[in-house]
Amino acid sequence: MTEKTEFLDAPPESAALTEYDRTHTILYMRLLDAADDGADWREVVSVLFKINPAVDPERARRIHDTHLARARWMTEHGYRQLLSGAPH
């Protein structure tokens, strides 16, 4: 299984699990791991999103923060839909 590397500046906002969420589940897990480890967001963006935060720090921070927020949403709500096999 290969990890999808294409991403939006912010994941879709939805109360339901989206195809984007399904595609980026591994990315979300890596973001959560990095946050738990106390990793600097700039390093995380550089490694996971292949973005240089020095070039566009506002965009880099927005991408990191919105994806991390969605990853946290997945741990509270989205995982139930994922595990139940909710339709795409």
Side-chain angles (χ1 to χ4, degrees), residues 32-86:
L32 292 168
D33 285 344
D36 286 346
D37 290 344
D40 185 289
W41 72 269
R42 288 170 287 264
E43 182 179 350
V44 174
V45 164
S46 178
V47 171
L48 297 183
F49 295 94
K50 308 294 187 236
I51 293 175
N52 181 346
V55 173
D56 192 349
E58 289 179 23
R59 177 176 178 251
R61 186 64 190 236
R62 182 175 56 253
I63 288 169
H64 174 269
D65 290 353
T66 59
H67 282 82
L68 180 57
R70 190 63 178 184
R72 289 184 173 142
W73 175 87
M74 288 284 291
T75 68
E76 298 167 6
H77 306 285
Y79 78 93
R80 293 184 191 111
Q81 296 172 38
L82 188 62
L83 293 175
S84 73

Side-chain angles (χ1 to χ4, degrees), residues 4 11 13 18 24 27 53 75 77:
K4 193 89 164 159
E13 292 184 26
T18 67
H24 293 84
L27 173 71
T75 68
H77 306 285

Side-chain angles (χ1 to χ4, degrees), residues 1-3 21-31:
M1 183 162 115
T2 60
E3 186 176 345
D21 296 323
R22 292 177 192 280
T23 300
H24 293 84
T25 301
I26 293 171
L27 173 71
Y28 292 162
M29 288 188 289
R30 292 180 71 192
L31 279 165

